[in-house]
Amino acid sequence: MTDDPKPAEMAVKPAPDPIWTRLSVVWLVPLIALAITLGVAWKTYSDRGVLIEIDFADAFGLAPGETPLKFREVEVGRVETVGFNADLSSVRIGVRVHKDVAPYIDAAARFWLVRPQVSAQGISRLDTVLSGTFIEGFWDSTPEGEPGIFTGLDQPPVAPDPTKGTWIE
């Protein structure tokens, strides 16, 4: 009698049920809430606008999240950051501009701070006593180039729109 070696017996058990049959319907609620949250977050991120940077001599009266950027007395952005430029020679203001206005802000754009002023000519911009300092900007209606880093004017221009008025040389 010879004992021939036999292969080991294979353990056989039934396959587990697919995962979708083991999940409870209760898990759909958090999954739907997660999908809605991600959708809202993406919408907020994609609609937030473009960040431009403006260098000013000082930041007196500017506050992140509060100070608006205005174009023709309409708010088109809001100050997001206040800091210094690389060599600490001026203050760099980060302004988040509405995305529909951003294509028009190009290298020819000009920005200045609007504050109440008392001079020999009189008192101007008293409205800023209650509303606070804001940044005024002017640019043309032709979309050109990408917005970048701008240097703010120390004084408001005599006429913000150079295409209107008479030039005397």
Side-chain angles (χ1 to χ4, degrees):
M1 298 182 96
T2 62
D3 278 332
D4 287 333
K6 293 183 181 178
E9 294 238 356
M10 187 181 314
V12 178
K13 55 183 170 178
D17 292 335
I19 191 150
W20 54 85
T21 61
R22 291 182 281 159
L23 287 178
S24 173
V25 177
V26 173
W27 284 101
L28 286 178
V29 174
L31 291 176
I32 291 172
L34 177 64
I36 290 171
T37 303
L38 291 174
V40 169
W42 174 252
K43 177 78 171 140
T44 302
Y45 177 78
S46 64
D47 288 346
R48 70 183 183 143
V50 177
L51 185 68
I52 63 169
E53 294 179 329
I54 309 167
D55 289 344
F56 286 107
D58 63 51
F60 179 74
L62 300 179
E66 296 178 13
T67 307
L69 167 65
K70 294 184 178 183
F71 174 69
R72 297 183 181 168
E73 296 300 323
V74 175
E75 185 175 327
V76 294
R78 194 161 284 278
V79 171
E80 194 170 278
T81 61
V82 176
F84 292 100
N85 65 357
D87 62 356
L88 302 177
S89 63
S90 62
V91 177
R92 182 157 292 166
I93 309 298
V95 180
R96 184 72 59 182
V97 180
H98 299 176
K99 69 179 190 173
D100 55 339
V101 175
Y104 298 100
I105 302 175
D106 54 9
R110 296 180 293 172
F111 300 93
W112 59 92
L113 295 174
V114 179
R115 302 174 175 148
Q117 293 181 345
V118 178
S119 66
Q121 298 171 341
I123 300 173
S124 63
R125 295 311 302 224
L126 281 177
D127 59 329
T128 59
V129 171
L130 297 175
S131 66
T133 302
F134 64 90
I135 302 171
E136 182 79 31
F138 185 80
W139 47 85
D140 57 20
S141 61
T142 309
E144 297 174 8
E146 291 288 320
I149 298 175
F150 300 93
T151 301
L153 303 174
D154 292 332
Q155 296 292 322
V158 175
D161 187 356
T163 62
K164 296 180 179 170
T166 305
W167 284 90
I168 301 173
E169 294 185 34

